[in-house]
Amino acid sequence: MRKDSRYSCYPFMREKSCLVDFEIRTDSLTTKIGVVLPLLQEEENCRVVLDDLHKIHPMAYHVNGSVRGKLSVTEEDLSWLSSRYDFYVEQVGEEIKQFLLPQGCLAATFLHICRSEAKKSYRALHKVSEEREVPEILFNYLGLLANVFFVMAVYTNKMHGIEEVPFISKSYPNKKRKKEEV
């Protein structure tokens, strides 16, 4: 007798492989990207972020399936994401040269949550790589994606006129920048 599928939220849930944790983690990432979309719908000043997120959103599921199934993240995808990173870095400038507290407008805070989820996905992928071969492009994509979410969050705050709040660690000494000779 076949088990009723209504009692199964995910067909691989009982596997012992770390791949399950990775797939659940990237599902969470994809879900959280979906939360940001309506927050930016009516905001013309952040239209570029919304447009980029519409392209990134399905890519999170492509990363998800690229280990168990066919690799569906391409060098073209990585190149596009890299170009978006460069765009946002150019827009936010000096703000990102320091460690910042994840805060600001609602869309920016959710972008920081997406950043954190991308890092967790990267870590889960590392665990998978201890069990099986994982294409390097997936690590590159997830690492870059986390950084793109960070610069998107800073950009979104900037578009809302919200100042970033630097984090000053009490655990690690501050690195003083060398002054340029005049």
Side-chain angles (χ1 to χ4, degrees):
M1 183 165 97
R2 186 168 179 229
K3 186 174 180 178
D4 190 333
S5 65
R6 79 180 87 201
Y7 300 113
S8 175
C9 62
Y10 174 63
F12 307 109
M13 193 62 85
R14 294 179 185 233
E15 283 184 8
K16 292 185 191 310
S17 168
C18 289
L19 181 55
V20 173
D21 300 319
F22 168 73
E23 290 170 339
I24 291 170
R25 179 55 64 197
T26 52
D27 180 58
S28 180
L29 169 62
T30 307
T31 302
K32 293 198 171 99
I33 296 168
V35 171
V36 183
L37 296 172
L39 298 175
L40 296 170
Q41 245 1 61
E42 304 298 319
E43 298 191 21
E44 198 54 43
N45 62 345
C46 289
R47 186 71 194 180
V48 66
V49 177
L50 180 63
D51 291 344
D52 289 344
L53 286 175
H54 279 298
K55 185 158 183 171
I56 290 169
H57 196 204
M59 285 304 300
Y61 270 153
H62 289 308
V63 170
N64 174 305
S66 286
V67 179
R68 188 184 298 273
K70 177 185 168 211
L71 176 63
S72 57
V73 177
T74 66
E75 287 296 332
E76 184 178 306
D77 296 324
L78 188 61
S79 179
W80 176 83
L81 190 61
S82 183
S83 74
R84 301 319 299 151
Y85 176 79
D86 293 341
F87 168 80
Y88 291 107
V89 166
E90 186 176 310
Q91 299 301 310
V92 297
E94 295 296 312
E95 285 293 326
I96 60 169
K97 298 210 177 194
Q98 56 192 331
F99 201 85
L100 303 172
L101 288 172
Q103 56 81 53
C105 68
L106 193 56
T109 58
F110 272 104
L111 286 165
H112 279 296
I113 290 170
C114 291
R115 171 190 54 79
S116 180
E117 286 296 316
K119 289 168 69 174
K120 291 173 189 174
S121 296
Y122 185 105
R123 180 64 182 169
L125 185 62
H126 168 71
K127 292 294 188 186
V128 172
S129 74
E130 293 177 337
E131 296 178 354
R132 64 168 64 191
E133 184 95 14
V134 173
E136 189 63 29
I137 194 169
L138 297 178
F139 286 106
N140 293 341
Y141 192 88
L142 283 172
L144 180 57
L145 185 59
N147 293 331
V148 168
F149 286 134
F150 173 71
V151 293
M152 278 181 162
V154 174
Y155 175 84
T156 302
N157 277 339
K158 182 178 180 179
M159 293 297 101
H160 285 89
I162 297 172
E163 286 189 39
E164 294 298 332
V165 178
F167 172 73
I168 310 301
S169 176
K170 294 192 307 184
S171 302
Y172 302 102
N174 289 343
K175 295 179 183 174
K176 295 187 179 187
R177 295 181 189 244
K178 294 179 181 177
K179 293 183 179 181
E180 294 179 14
E181 292 183 27
V182 184

